[in-house]
C-alpha cells in the first residue's frame, strides 16, 4: 500500500520555524530515497531536500543552512525542519518517495537530482509573512 501523509504546515512570521512530518506506509517507507518538494502559486514544483538510505542528504541552494531533512525508521516517518523562514518559502510542501522496487543505481541517480519521484502525499500549506 502506497501512503504518504504530511502534517505540520501552518502560518508563521519571517524568521520563524516549522517542522513538517510525513507518515509513510511500511511499503512506501521501504524505499531508499525520500524527499520534500514544494510548489508556490504560479510556479513549478521544485525539489527542496532529499535523503538516501545511507544517510546522505541533498538540498536546494535556496534552503541550504536553513532546512534539515531526516528520517525516523522506528516511526516510518520523514521530517523537514525549517528555520529562518522567509516569505519566499511560502508554498504547498509535498512528501515524496521513489518506488521501493527501483534498483540501487536508479535511486542513486535520481535521489540527489530530485527527479523521478513516483509516490506523493497530498501536501501541506506553509505560509510565511513578512
Amino acid at each position: 500500500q502506497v501512503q504518504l501523509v504530511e502534517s505540520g504546515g501552518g502560518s508563521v512570521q519571517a524568521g520563524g520555524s516549522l517542522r513538517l512530518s510525513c507518515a509513510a506506509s511500511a511499503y512506501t517507507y521501504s524505499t531508499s530515497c525520500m524527499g520534500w518538494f514544494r510548489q508556490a502559486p504560479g510556479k513549478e514544483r521544485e525539489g527542496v531536500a532529499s535523503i538516501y538510505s545511507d544517510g546522505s542528504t541533498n538540498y536546494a541552494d535556496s534552503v541550504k543552512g536553513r532546512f534539515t531533512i531526516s528520517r525516523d525508521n522506528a516511526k516510518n516517518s520523514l521530517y523537514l525542519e525549517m528555520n529562518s523562514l522567509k516569505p519566499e518559502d511560502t508554498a504547498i510542501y509535498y512528501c515524496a518517495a521513489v518506488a521501493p522496487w527501483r534498483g540501487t543505481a536508479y535511486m542513486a541517480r535520481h535521489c540527489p537530482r530530485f527527479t523521478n519521484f513516483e509516490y506523493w502525499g497530498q501536501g501541506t500549506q506553509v505560509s510565511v509573512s513578512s
Side-chain angles (χ1 to χ4, degrees):
Q1 179 186 5
V2 177
Q3 187 175 34
L4 293 167
V5 180
E6 302 96 335
S7 61
S11 298
V12 295
Q13 290 191 329
S17 299
L18 282 174
R19 187 189 192 215
L20 304 183
S21 299
C22 174
S25 62
Y27 169 74
T28 310
Y29 194 80
S30 66
T31 181
S32 295
C33 174
M34 298 187 74
W36 288 96
F37 291 73
R38 67 186 181 187
Q39 186 166 20
K43 294 188 177 181
E44 292 187 354
R45 186 172 60 196
E46 62 174 351
V48 174
S50 65
I51 185 167
Y52 192 56
S53 56
D54 64 358
S56 60
T57 56
N58 291 275
Y59 296 92
D61 288 342
S62 59
V63 306
K64 283 180 180 177
R66 301 188 297 122
F67 290 11
T68 302
I69 188 172
S70 62
R71 293 176 68 153
D72 186 333
N73 295 333
K75 296 182 178 180
N76 286 358
S77 293
L78 180 73
Y79 303 99
L80 185 68
E81 187 74 37
M82 304 186 295
N83 298 315
S84 302
L85 283 162
K86 304 175 181 180
E88 50 264 43
D89 294 319
T90 295
I92 299 175
Y93 283 71
Y94 298 91
C95 173
V98 176
W101 52 266
R102 295 289 187 183
T104 302
Y106 186 100
M107 294 271 190
R109 181 168 67 251
H110 292 289
C111 202
R113 296 178 174 84
F114 305 114
T115 54
N116 289 40
F117 282 68
E118 293 147 304
Y119 301 148
W120 296 86
Q122 82 289 350
T124 185
Q125 177 71 48
V126 171
S127 299
V128 184
S129 59
S130 56

